[in-house]
Amino acid sequence: MITCSEAMRQLWEYLDGIVDEVDREAIDEHLARCRRCCGELEFARELRGFLASAGEEEIPGQVMDRLNATLEELDSR
Ligand SMILES: [Zn+2]
């Protein structure tokens, strides 16, 4: 099974539907078992929706902070 860090790295591609089928299945499997990543998936979905409507340059600082903090935390595990 892939790690949280691996799942998160591919989360955006997963949401965009551009991951390989093998990767998608691995992420699906991970998300089904990992509550923590499930929460991040919801967050990423919200953020993605926000980006789609507002444009990348208007991301609120706190949103970027949370995203960066999440990635850093995952990387350090
Ligand atoms: Zn996870």
Side-chain angles (χ1 to χ4, degrees):
M1 179 148 131
I2 60 174
T3 63
C4 289
S5 179
E6 285 167 340
M8 286 299 108
R9 281 213 183 86
Q10 294 187 294
L11 196 59
W12 290 98
E13 290 169 15
Y14 173 83
L15 285 172
D16 283 337
I18 56 172
V19 288
D20 294 344
E21 190 166 336
V22 174
D23 288 334
R24 187 169 54 76
E25 283 174 8
I27 296 168
D28 275 339
E29 185 186 8
H30 185 94
L31 291 172
R33 297 178 192 205
C34 184
R35 237 165 226 241
R36 181 184 151 78
C37 287
C38 239
E40 293 307 325
L41 177 64
E42 289 306 308
F43 172 69
R45 276 202 178 116
E46 278 179 37
L47 179 61
R48 192 163 171 270
F50 181 85
L51 290 177
S53 62
E56 197 167 330
E57 288 173 17
E58 295 180 50
I59 305 171
Q62 61 188 29
V63 174
M64 284 311 293
D65 286 349
R66 167 150 183 209
L67 185 61
N68 287 331
T70 298
L71 293 173
E72 278 171 25
E73 189 185 337
L74 288 168
D75 275 345
S76 67
R77 274 157 37 117

XYZ file of all heavy atoms in Angstrom:
616
model
N 0.846 -1.204 0.000
C 0.000 0.000 0.000
C 0.883 1.258 0.000
O 1.932 1.289 0.616
C -0.861 -0.028 1.269
C -1.752 1.178 1.368
S -3.286 0.793 2.202
C -3.381 2.112 3.372
N 0.444 2.269 -0.713
C 1.221 3.501 -0.802
C 1.119 4.281 0.502
O 0.204 4.063 1.291
C 0.755 4.384 -1.984
C -0.715 4.778 -1.827
C 0.978 3.673 -3.307
C -1.186 5.759 -2.875
N 2.054 5.180 0.705
C 2.049 5.979 1.926
C 1.152 7.207 1.755
O 0.756 7.553 0.631
C 3.469 6.484 2.239
O 3.875 7.350 1.173
C 4.442 5.323 2.342
N 0.873 7.858 2.890
C 0.082 9.091 2.852
C 0.767 10.124 1.963
O 0.123 10.820 1.184
C -0.095 9.654 4.258
S -1.204 8.676 5.293
N 2.071 10.206 2.110
C 2.821 11.191 1.343
C 2.662 10.941 -0.162
O 2.452 11.865 -0.946
C 4.287 11.110 1.755
O 5.037 12.030 1.019
N 2.750 9.698 -0.544
C 2.591 9.366 -1.968
C 1.177 9.666 -2.454
O 0.977 10.183 -3.553
C 2.931 7.887 -2.184
C 4.419 7.620 -2.123
C 4.746 6.132 -2.021
O 3.861 5.346 -1.621
O 5.874 5.778 -2.358
N 0.228 9.335 -1.612
C -1.167 9.593 -1.980
C -1.401 11.089 -2.170
O -2.032 11.521 -3.138
C -2.108 9.040 -0.913
N -0.844 11.888 -1.235
C -1.049 13.334 -1.316
C -0.358 13.944 -2.525
O -0.869 14.872 -3.135
C -0.510 14.011 -0.034
C -1.385 13.812 1.179
S -3.045 14.499 0.950
C -3.984 12.999 0.782
N 0.796 13.399 -2.870
C 1.519 13.960 -4.020
C 0.710 13.796 -5.293
O 0.820 14.581 -6.214
C 2.856 13.246 -4.187
C 3.879 13.765 -3.217
C 5.277 13.743 -3.775
N 6.197 14.201 -2.749
C 6.711 13.384 -1.836
N 6.449 12.116 -1.875
N 7.491 13.870 -0.915
N -0.056 12.745 -5.344
C -0.800 12.478 -6.580
C -2.260 12.909 -6.492
O -3.034 12.684 -7.412
C -0.726 10.988 -6.892
C 0.691 10.572 -7.230
C 0.742 9.136 -7.710
O 0.469 8.219 -6.973
N 1.081 8.955 -8.964
N -2.565 13.546 -5.365
C -3.970 13.871 -5.134
C -4.547 14.800 -6.202
O -5.665 14.612 -6.659
C -4.115 14.500 -3.746
C -5.532 14.556 -3.185
C -6.118 13.169 -3.083
C -5.532 15.219 -1.826
N -3.746 15.780 -6.592
C -4.261 16.736 -7.576
C -4.485 16.063 -8.920
O -5.488 16.295 -9.585
C -3.293 17.909 -7.731
C -3.293 18.769 -6.510
C -2.403 18.719 -5.496
C -4.260 19.756 -6.144
N -2.758 19.626 -4.528
C -3.876 20.272 -4.897
C -5.411 20.242 -6.768
C -4.621 21.267 -4.254
C -6.138 21.238 -6.126
C -5.737 21.732 -4.888
N -3.529 15.239 -9.285
C -3.686 14.524 -10.555
C -4.863 13.569 -10.478
O -5.588 13.376 -11.449
C -2.392 13.766 -10.881
C -1.281 14.735 -11.250
C 0.082 14.070 -11.324
O 0.143 12.839 -11.378
O 1.076 14.814 -11.324
N -5.008 13.008 -9.304
C -6.144 12.117 -9.077
C -7.457 12.877 -9.281
O -8.371 12.414 -9.962
C -6.051 11.552 -7.655
C -7.234 10.742 -7.208
C -7.364 9.389 -7.536
C -8.230 11.325 -6.432
C -8.445 8.646 -7.101
C -9.319 10.590 -5.994
C -9.419 9.250 -6.326
O -10.503 8.534 -5.896
N -7.527 14.065 -8.681
C -8.737 14.876 -8.818
C -8.952 15.310 -10.262
O -10.082 15.458 -10.715
C -8.653 16.116 -7.911
C -8.860 15.864 -6.417
C -8.545 17.126 -5.627
C -10.267 15.404 -6.135
N -7.867 15.525 -10.965
C -7.962 15.925 -12.369
C -8.241 14.742 -13.283
O -8.489 14.908 -14.468
C -6.658 16.599 -12.816
C -6.551 18.023 -12.301
O -7.602 18.624 -12.008
O -5.436 18.532 -12.182
N -8.124 13.546 -12.708
C -8.391 12.353 -13.504
C -7.294 12.031 -14.501
O -7.540 11.396 -15.527
N -6.059 12.469 -14.198
C -4.982 12.232 -15.154
C -3.935 11.252 -14.625
O -2.864 11.137 -15.189
C -4.286 13.550 -15.573
C -3.769 14.300 -14.341
C -5.234 14.440 -16.355
C -2.908 15.515 -14.700
N -4.234 10.562 -13.529
C -3.291 9.541 -13.056
C -3.507 8.245 -13.832
O -4.583 8.002 -14.373
C -3.455 9.244 -11.536
C -2.937 10.391 -10.709
C -4.887 8.922 -11.207
N -2.464 7.438 -13.859
C -2.590 6.120 -14.478
C -3.642 5.306 -13.719
O -3.863 5.534 -12.547
C -1.268 5.349 -14.378
C -0.176 6.008 -15.191
O -0.523 6.842 -16.035
O 0.995 5.691 -14.963
N -4.192 4.350 -14.404
C -5.199 3.525 -13.740
C -4.625 2.802 -12.524
O -5.276 2.683 -11.489
C -5.766 2.501 -14.731
C -6.983 1.799 -14.164
C -7.755 1.053 -15.231
O -7.652 1.422 -16.419
O -8.444 0.103 -14.869
N -3.385 2.347 -12.654
C -2.736 1.651 -11.536
C -2.603 2.588 -10.340
O -2.882 2.216 -9.204
C -1.335 1.148 -11.961
C -0.600 0.554 -10.757
C -1.469 0.124 -13.072
N -2.168 3.824 -10.617
C -2.020 4.801 -9.539
C -3.378 5.148 -8.937
O -3.505 5.292 -7.728
C -1.368 6.079 -10.077
C 0.100 5.869 -10.395
O 0.709 4.971 -9.782
O 0.631 6.584 -11.250
N -4.355 5.290 -9.785
C -5.683 5.654 -9.295
C -6.215 4.587 -8.342
O -6.778 4.888 -7.294
C -6.645 5.857 -10.464
C -8.000 6.393 -10.030
C -8.843 6.847 -11.215
N -8.983 5.820 -12.227
C -9.794 4.769 -12.105
N -10.546 4.643 -11.056
N -9.854 3.860 -13.061
N -6.008 3.351 -8.712
C -6.469 2.263 -7.848
C -5.726 2.270 -6.513
O -6.315 2.032 -5.469
C -6.292 0.912 -8.554
C -7.370 0.697 -9.594
C -7.155 -0.572 -10.414
O -6.247 -1.349 -10.065
O -7.891 -0.766 -11.383
N -4.433 2.569 -6.586
C -3.642 2.625 -5.355
C -4.140 3.752 -4.457
O -4.241 3.596 -3.236
C -2.170 2.825 -5.696
N -4.458 4.878 -5.062
C -4.949 6.021 -4.284
C -6.343 5.721 -3.735
O -6.632 5.994 -2.566
C -4.961 7.299 -5.149
C -3.527 7.668 -5.553
C -5.597 8.452 -4.371
C -3.454 8.738 -6.629
N -7.180 5.138 -4.567
C -8.518 4.745 -4.107
C -8.424 3.841 -2.886
O -9.130 4.025 -1.898
C -9.268 3.986 -5.216
C -9.964 4.935 -6.181
O -10.206 6.093 -5.795
O -10.257 4.508 -7.305
N -7.526 2.880 -2.986
C -7.368 1.926 -1.892
C -6.890 2.636 -0.638
O -7.370 2.374 0.462
C -6.369 0.839 -2.307
C -6.252 -0.254 -1.258
C -5.149 -1.247 -1.599
O -4.386 -1.010 -2.542
O -5.067 -2.258 -0.895
N -5.944 3.530 -0.834
C -5.415 4.265 0.315
C -6.503 5.118 0.957
O -6.681 5.110 2.172
C -4.235 5.133 -0.124
C -3.580 5.824 1.027
N -2.493 5.308 1.687
C -3.894 6.981 1.657
C -2.178 6.121 2.683
N -2.998 7.149 2.678
N -7.234 5.845 0.129
C -8.260 6.748 0.658
C -9.363 5.979 1.374
O -9.954 6.461 2.339
C -8.860 7.582 -0.483
C -7.911 8.618 -1.097
C -8.551 9.233 -2.327
C -7.559 9.702 -0.103
N -9.611 4.771 0.901
C -10.661 3.965 1.520
C -10.266 3.553 2.939
O -11.124 3.321 3.785
C -10.934 2.733 0.672
N -8.966 3.468 3.197
C -8.499 2.989 4.497
C -7.976 4.090 5.386
O -7.791 3.876 6.582
C -7.364 1.994 4.298
C -7.830 0.788 3.558
C -6.672 -0.147 3.352
N -7.030 -1.173 2.407
C -6.468 -2.360 2.368
N -5.522 -2.652 3.212
N -6.847 -3.236 1.482
N -7.666 5.230 4.811
C -6.996 6.272 5.581
C -7.911 7.467 5.784
O -8.184 8.215 4.865
C -5.722 6.688 4.852
S -4.764 7.894 5.759
N -8.384 7.601 6.983
C -9.283 8.683 7.315
C -8.629 10.040 7.140
O -9.235 11.001 6.720
C -9.665 8.550 8.778
C -11.143 8.460 8.968
C -11.407 7.972 10.372
N -12.409 6.949 10.292
C -13.567 7.049 10.890
N -13.821 8.085 11.632
N -14.458 6.121 10.753
N -7.400 10.090 7.515
C -6.647 11.346 7.446
C -6.581 11.846 6.010
O -6.868 13.006 5.737
C -5.248 11.042 7.966
C -4.362 12.193 7.980
C -2.988 11.716 8.425
N -2.017 12.575 7.834
C -1.753 13.773 8.284
N -2.331 14.165 9.318
N -0.932 14.563 7.696
N -6.234 10.989 5.095
C -6.159 11.402 3.698
C -7.536 11.695 3.134
O -7.700 12.536 2.265
C -5.471 10.338 2.854
S -3.692 10.288 3.152
N -8.526 11.000 3.644
C -9.891 11.273 3.222
C -10.246 12.719 3.534
O -10.859 13.404 2.726
C -10.854 10.351 3.960
S -11.784 9.374 2.837
N -9.849 13.170 4.721
C -10.095 14.562 5.092
C -9.357 15.504 4.169
O -9.891 16.530 3.754
N -8.141 15.126 3.823
C -7.357 15.972 2.929
C -7.963 15.986 1.526
O -7.889 16.984 0.819
C -5.910 15.486 2.865
C -5.163 15.655 4.170
C -5.244 17.087 4.691
O -5.247 18.031 3.877
O -5.318 17.260 5.914
N -8.528 14.885 1.144
C -9.178 14.830 -0.169
C -10.330 15.821 -0.226
O -10.493 16.555 -1.201
C -9.691 13.411 -0.444
C -10.449 13.243 -1.765
C -9.535 13.500 -2.959
C -11.058 11.856 -1.864
N -11.114 15.863 0.845
C -12.218 16.813 0.900
C -11.686 18.244 0.831
O -12.234 19.094 0.134
C -13.017 16.629 2.198
C -13.831 15.353 2.213
C -14.727 15.258 0.990
O -15.469 16.212 0.714
O -14.664 14.225 0.302
N -10.612 18.474 1.577
C -10.010 19.799 1.571
C -9.512 20.152 0.168
O -9.733 21.253 -0.336
C -8.853 19.838 2.573
C -8.053 21.111 2.498
C -8.605 22.306 2.906
C -6.758 21.096 2.009
C -7.873 23.480 2.830
C -6.023 22.262 1.927
C -6.583 23.454 2.338
N -8.863 19.200 -0.469
C -8.330 19.442 -1.811
C -9.446 19.702 -2.806
O -9.331 20.544 -3.694
C -7.494 18.241 -2.258
N -10.538 19.002 -2.635
C -11.689 19.231 -3.516
C -12.211 20.647 -3.366
O -12.524 21.317 -4.336
C -12.811 18.245 -3.176
C -12.642 16.922 -3.851
C -13.972 16.174 -3.943
N -13.787 14.921 -4.632
C -13.971 13.727 -4.062
N -14.382 13.653 -2.836
N -13.767 12.647 -4.768
N -12.318 21.072 -2.106
C -12.790 22.433 -1.850
C -11.837 23.463 -2.430
O -12.248 24.422 -3.073
C -12.901 22.673 -0.342
C -14.169 22.142 0.254
C -14.197 22.385 1.754
O -13.724 23.438 2.196
O -14.684 21.508 2.477
N -10.555 23.222 -2.180
C -9.540 24.160 -2.656
C -9.554 24.216 -4.179
O -9.461 25.280 -4.783
C -8.167 23.715 -2.148
C -6.985 24.576 -2.580
C -7.145 26.000 -2.069
C -5.688 23.988 -2.078
N -9.690 23.066 -4.778
C -9.697 22.986 -6.233
C -10.895 23.765 -6.801
O -10.774 24.481 -7.781
C -9.780 21.528 -6.643
C -9.521 21.308 -8.096
C -9.211 19.852 -8.319
N -9.156 19.549 -9.727
C -10.213 19.172 -10.427
N -11.384 19.072 -9.847
N -10.092 18.909 -11.705
N -12.032 23.598 -6.150
C -13.216 24.331 -6.583
C -12.996 25.830 -6.448
O -13.383 26.615 -7.312
N -12.327 26.186 -5.377
C -12.034 27.594 -5.147
C -11.102 28.125 -6.224
O -11.318 29.201 -6.783
C -11.399 27.759 -3.764
C -11.080 29.190 -3.426
C -12.050 30.001 -2.873
C -9.825 29.706 -3.693
C -11.764 31.329 -2.590
C -9.538 31.031 -3.411
C -10.507 31.840 -2.854
N -10.078 27.360 -6.529
C -9.113 27.774 -7.545
C -9.792 27.931 -8.898
O -9.505 28.851 -9.659
C -7.991 26.745 -7.665
C -7.027 26.667 -6.484
C -6.014 25.566 -6.722
C -6.342 27.993 -6.263
N -10.692 27.016 -9.177
C -11.369 27.049 -10.467
C -12.194 28.319 -10.613
O -12.320 28.869 -11.701
C -12.261 25.820 -10.609
N -12.715 28.819 -9.494
C -13.572 29.993 -9.585
C -12.805 31.295 -9.368
O -13.177 32.324 -9.902
C -14.712 29.883 -8.564
O -14.191 29.839 -7.258
N -11.737 31.241 -8.581
C -11.067 32.484 -8.204
C -9.754 32.730 -8.942
O -9.315 33.859 -9.048
C -10.805 32.492 -6.699
N -9.119 31.677 -9.421
C -7.820 31.870 -10.053
C -6.710 31.738 -9.037
O -6.863 32.115 -7.889
N -5.599 31.239 -9.494
C -4.533 30.838 -8.589
C -3.935 31.983 -7.794
O -3.478 31.813 -6.686
C -3.436 30.153 -9.408
C -2.497 29.347 -8.549
C -1.627 28.447 -9.394
O -2.087 28.022 -10.474
O -0.504 28.199 -8.989
N -3.933 33.169 -8.363
C -3.275 34.280 -7.686
C -4.074 34.843 -6.534
O -3.597 35.666 -5.779
C -2.967 35.382 -8.701
C -1.844 34.964 -9.618
C -1.634 35.953 -10.740
O -2.136 37.079 -10.618
O -0.986 35.593 -11.725
N -5.306 34.392 -6.402
C -6.138 34.946 -5.345
C -6.368 33.964 -4.209
O -7.303 34.121 -3.438
C -7.476 35.386 -5.927
C -7.321 36.524 -6.916
C -8.651 36.958 -7.502
O -9.584 37.197 -6.720
O -8.765 37.022 -8.731
N -5.515 32.976 -4.113
C -5.655 32.038 -3.000
C -5.375 32.776 -1.695
O -4.337 33.412 -1.572
C -4.631 30.889 -3.104
C -4.753 30.202 -4.452
C -4.845 29.894 -1.968
C -3.634 29.216 -4.700
N -6.276 32.695 -0.748
C -6.016 33.343 0.536
C -4.777 32.742 1.188
O -4.533 31.539 1.059
C -7.257 33.009 1.369
C -8.297 32.630 0.376
C -7.571 32.048 -0.798
N -3.995 33.577 1.892
C -2.779 33.115 2.531
C -3.028 31.934 3.448
O -2.248 30.988 3.494
N -4.131 31.964 4.158
C -4.381 30.895 5.125
C -4.635 29.562 4.430
O -4.306 28.504 4.961
C -5.555 31.256 6.035
C -6.863 31.460 5.282
C -7.946 32.014 6.210
O -7.642 32.701 7.170
N -9.195 31.706 5.921
N -5.191 29.630 3.257
C -5.431 28.387 2.514
C -4.106 27.793 2.056
O -3.848 26.596 2.201
C -6.353 28.639 1.300
C -6.485 27.376 0.452
C -7.723 29.102 1.770
N -3.234 28.660 1.522
C -1.922 28.186 1.093
C -1.116 27.678 2.288
O -0.420 26.679 2.191
C -1.149 29.311 0.397
C -1.616 29.605 -1.008
S -1.773 28.127 -2.043
C -0.058 27.619 -2.179
N -1.242 28.371 3.418
C -0.528 27.945 4.622
C -0.953 26.539 5.021
O -0.145 25.697 5.358
C -0.811 28.905 5.789
C -0.069 30.217 5.616
O 0.797 30.279 4.737
O -0.360 31.156 6.361
N -2.232 26.303 4.964
C -2.724 24.994 5.379
C -2.248 23.920 4.400
O -1.845 22.837 4.788
C -4.249 25.001 5.424
C -4.720 23.603 5.536
C -6.016 23.367 6.264
N -6.195 21.914 6.294
C -7.348 21.316 6.318
N -8.441 22.018 6.378
N -7.404 20.022 6.317
N -2.287 24.263 3.124
C -1.853 23.301 2.117
C -0.368 22.982 2.301
O 0.030 21.817 2.309
C -2.100 23.891 0.725
C -1.813 22.980 -0.456
C -2.684 21.732 -0.411
C -2.045 23.722 -1.766
N 0.435 24.020 2.483
C 1.871 23.814 2.672
C 2.157 23.048 3.957
O 3.013 22.165 3.985
C 2.600 25.159 2.696
C 2.660 25.781 1.313
O 2.673 25.071 0.324
N 2.684 27.091 1.244
N 1.432 23.382 5.011
C 1.635 22.700 6.286
C 1.297 21.217 6.146
O 1.991 20.351 6.665
C 0.763 23.332 7.369
N 0.250 20.938 5.417
C -0.148 19.552 5.203
C 0.933 18.789 4.466
O 1.318 17.687 4.855
C -1.454 19.512 4.375
O -2.480 20.156 5.117
C -1.863 18.071 4.076
N 1.453 19.395 3.415
C 2.482 18.728 2.613
C 3.757 18.538 3.422
O 4.394 17.487 3.350
C 2.759 19.534 1.350
C 1.594 19.571 0.360
C 1.893 20.537 -0.778
C 1.291 18.198 -0.199
N 4.116 19.545 4.200
C 5.331 19.432 5.000
C 5.189 18.344 6.058
O 6.100 17.563 6.288
C 5.633 20.766 5.700
C 6.343 21.731 4.787
C 6.446 23.113 5.402
O 6.419 23.209 6.646
O 6.542 24.084 4.648
N 4.032 18.308 6.663
C 3.793 17.311 7.698
C 3.873 15.900 7.097
O 4.461 15.001 7.671
C 2.422 17.541 8.323
C 2.184 16.690 9.531
C 0.766 16.848 10.076
O 0.143 17.898 9.806
O 0.286 15.936 10.733
N 3.304 15.757 5.951
C 3.316 14.447 5.298
C 4.735 14.058 4.912
O 5.114 12.903 5.032
C 2.426 14.477 4.052
C 0.929 14.518 4.340
C 0.162 14.832 3.074
C 0.456 13.214 4.933
N 5.502 15.029 4.452
C 6.869 14.744 4.043
C 7.752 14.339 5.213
O 8.710 13.611 5.065
C 7.491 15.980 3.367
C 7.127 16.025 1.897
O 6.671 14.998 1.384
O 7.284 17.080 1.278
N 7.419 14.852 6.393
C 8.286 14.616 7.542
C 7.963 13.297 8.239
O 8.637 12.925 9.173
C 8.166 15.776 8.534
O 6.870 15.802 9.101
N 6.950 12.598 7.802
C 6.578 11.356 8.465
C 7.371 10.170 7.962
O 7.842 10.198 6.875
C 5.081 11.083 8.280
C 4.347 11.804 9.347
C 2.916 12.108 9.023
N 2.228 11.092 8.281
C 1.169 10.418 8.736
N 0.762 10.601 9.941
N 0.548 9.595 7.987
Zn -3.222 8.384 4.213
